Amino acid sequence: MAREPLISCEHCASIFRRHELQRGETATCSRCGTILWRYSGLSVSGWLALTLTALIVFVVANGYPVVSMSVRGLVRDASLLDAVAMTWQQGYVMTATMTGLAGFGLPLLQLCLLAWVLWPLTRGREPRGLRPAMRLLGMLRPWCMVPVFLLGVVVAVVKLAGMARVGPEPGLYAFAVLTVLLTMLSRLSPHAIWRYAEESGVAPVHVPRAQPGQLLAGCHVCGQVQALAAHDHDGPAPRCMRCRAVLHYRKPDSLARTWALLLAAAVLYVPANVLPIMNINSLFFGDSGHTILGGVVELWHTGSWDIALIVFVASIVVPLTKILALVVLAIAVQLRSQLNLRQRTRLYELVEFIGQWSMLDVFVVILLSALAHFQGLFEISAGPAAGAFGLVVILTMLAAMSFDPRTAWDQAPRGEAGADRPAGGDMPAAPGQNTA
């Protein structure tokens, strides 16, 4: 390209020129240390092939059972959709809706959107509906939880191993392959797709210059850097010149929304851990309710200490860590603290990364309810804590999305060690980091 586009760091708002990278190189923000972009050896055609493969594997994964269970000669198997349907029939509509969307509906929509956009790009044409498709893709990515479901299957198998004969089915292997493919496709963000569109000539390259009274800011959807008024003005909010998304120099009411969502999550965290997340009705052992912590203790006593540790971390430590970490970050911004800004940025990245893994126990419960459904002999059903716990996961993820880490960097002096370079400054690549 004749002109090098600009890129904005999503965590500290620094602006850099986006250079071409060589194999193995990674571009890192010189101010906050955030990875800005990586070298990718895949072309648009390669990403399309990966997406179509994932779609085929997705059909297989959901068309076949993931695990089967045998009790006294009675055999039952279950797929993800069977588990969602059984949870719905048991009256836990909210739990069924959350898991059905996170494990099936949203991943399928994500793959379809990628195929819809990448197919025309391989032919040098602009995809129809590119702008709304990219906005929707950006909203979907955090909520697709196929890897969490796969781990939930493993936990469910271990839980049932001492009570019945359990065996893997073809759907389990397909989900394992699908997890690998989706992990690779997670590198293909809306920002990356827009960069491919620029390289193919479908999207124009716009390099803005800030006039007096203006500041440069990046669009949260497509990454296009553009000049915005330094102060809010009356009238409709400005829109991105490229994708038409609403633009804000900073997320509006960021702290207020973060505190409200954290408070709601903290309130629901109590019933999520006190009430039973799973009910067992057995002809031999009677009726019993199991809390999250009770399930961890049971796994430990049966000798599955490794699985117990995974469940404990995902269901107890992770939600509590997210809430406490966001509280610390929000308080630091309110106090205008300039201490440990890079460490706080890494903490925020950790909160974003671990967000969805707390849904593990909810997937375990719905799968157990579909498998252990031998009427009058042995039945497992979801408990009231499942819905509450799922809401805790959603609320903490929304709180992390509402928090704006750039506001902490706004209070930091520029020009000192760790400060950003001038807008449009050169951004060196950090070699030696392999990418997908």
Side-chain angles (χ1 to χ4, degrees):
M1 295 182 188
R3 297 179 297 173
E4 291 180 327
L6 302 183
I7 186 170
S8 173
C9 176
E10 296 181 349
H11 290 155
C12 72
S14 300
I15 306 295
F16 302 100
R17 296 193 186 279
R18 196 181 76 235
H19 298 318
E20 293 294 330
L21 300 180
Q22 301 302 315
R23 181 178 298 276
E25 289 184 336
T26 300
T28 305
C29 176
S30 60
R31 189 184 191 200
C32 71
T34 298
I35 294 177
L36 299 175
W37 76 96
R38 292 182 172 91
Y39 171 85
S40 175
L42 286 178
S43 63
V44 178
S45 299
W47 286 115
L48 176 61
L50 201 63
T51 301
L52 295 178
T53 303
L55 272 171
I56 296 172
V57 176
F58 184 90
V59 173
V60 175
N62 288 278
Y64 288 90
V66 292
V67 67
S68 61
M69 175 179 176
S70 175
V71 177
R72 292 183 173 271
L74 300 175
V75 180
R76 188 172 182 86
D77 53 34
S79 64
L80 170 60
L81 294 180
D82 293 332
V84 172
M86 179 59 66
T87 307
W88 184 288
Q89 293 171 11
Q90 291 172 348
Y92 294 97
V93 176
M94 182 172 59
T95 304
T97 301
M98 287 188 295
T99 51
L101 288 174
F104 179 83
L106 299 184
L108 177 59
L109 182 56
Q110 179 188 15
L111 291 174
C112 290
L113 283 174
L114 285 174
W116 175 269
V117 169
L118 293 175
W119 181 269
L121 284 180
T122 58
R123 285 154 175 75
R125 295 186 287 107
E126 178 178 344
R128 183 175 301 177
L130 173 63
R131 290 157 182 81
M134 288 298 94
R135 292 200 294 270
L136 182 57
L137 180 63
M139 291 186 289
L140 291 179
R141 295 176 76 237
W143 305 101
C144 299
M145 303 183 186
V146 169
V148 185
F149 172 72
L150 177 64
L151 183 58
V153 175
V154 176
V155 174
V157 169
V158 174
K159 278 181 173 286
L160 292 173
M163 297 180 285
R165 181 177 298 174
V166 184
E169 295 292 333
L172 178 60
Y173 303 110
F175 264 110
V177 176
L178 181 62
T179 296
V180 175
L181 294 173
L182 290 178
T183 301
M184 297 174 66
L185 285 170
S186 66
R187 295 287 181 89
L188 192 62
S189 66
H191 291 196
I193 294 176
W194 278 107
R195 290 199 290 270
Y196 281 119
E198 288 178 348
E199 294 171 359
S200 62
V202 170
V205 177
H206 176 72
V207 182
R209 293 184 179 274
Q211 303 299 322
Q214 291 183 326
L215 296 170
L216 294 181
C219 173
H220 68 284
V221 174
C222 69
Q224 172 66 59
V225 175
Q226 45 214 298
L228 297 179
H231 303 286
D232 294 335
H233 56 83
D234 297 331
R239 289 185 174 272
C240 176
M241 63 178 62
R242 182 161 69 178
C243 72
R244 305 307 299 164
V246 176
L247 288 177
H248 297 286
Y249 182 66
R250 295 292 180 266
K251 297 177 183 178
D253 302 319
S254 171
L255 278 179
R257 290 189 290 126
T258 300
W259 279 119
L261 291 165
L262 284 177
L263 179 60
V267 170
L268 285 171
Y269 187 74
V270 176
N273 286 275
V274 173
L275 297 176
I277 194 171
M278 179 175 64
N279 297 311
I280 299 179
N281 182 5
S282 173
L283 179 64
F284 310 103
F285 305 105
D287 299 341
S288 60
H290 294 256
T291 62
I292 295 175
L293 190 57
V296 172
V297 173
E298 181 181 347
L299 284 170
W300 187 278
H301 285 163
T302 58
S304 303
W305 62 267
D306 47 352
I307 301 297
L309 185 61
I310 291 174
V311 175
F312 179 75
V313 170
S315 301
I316 303 294
V317 176
V318 168
L320 193 58
T321 299
K322 287 191 297 182
I323 293 174
L324 294 178
L326 286 171
V327 166
V328 170
L329 292 172
I331 290 177
V333 170
Q334 285 190 317
L335 296 179
R336 298 182 176 274
S337 172
Q338 299 174 14
L339 297 175
N340 304 318
L341 285 174
R342 279 204 172 204
Q343 289 79 359
R344 282 154 54 183
T345 302
R346 300 289 83 75
L347 180 61
Y348 179 71
E349 290 178 337
L350 175 65
V351 170
E352 286 188 308
F353 174 74
I354 65 177
Q356 61 177 233
W357 289 96
S358 302
M359 193 67 81
L360 172 65
D361 246 339
V362 182
F363 279 117
V364 171
V365 168
I366 68 164
L367 186 59
L368 290 177
S369 65
L371 281 172
H373 190 70
F374 301 96
Q375 200 162 12
L377 181 63
F378 184 58
E379 294 182 77
I380 295 179
S381 61
F389 193 80
L391 286 177
V392 170
V393 178
I394 292 173
L395 290 171
T396 52
M397 291 179 66
L398 289 175
M401 295 174 190
S402 299
F403 182 77
D404 196 337
R406 296 172 298 181
T407 55
W409 287 95
D410 289 342
Q411 301 160 9
R414 297 172 182 264
E416 300 179 0
D420 65 333
R421 304 182 180 190
D426 290 339
M427 179 66 234
Q433 298 187 33
N434 295 326
T435 61

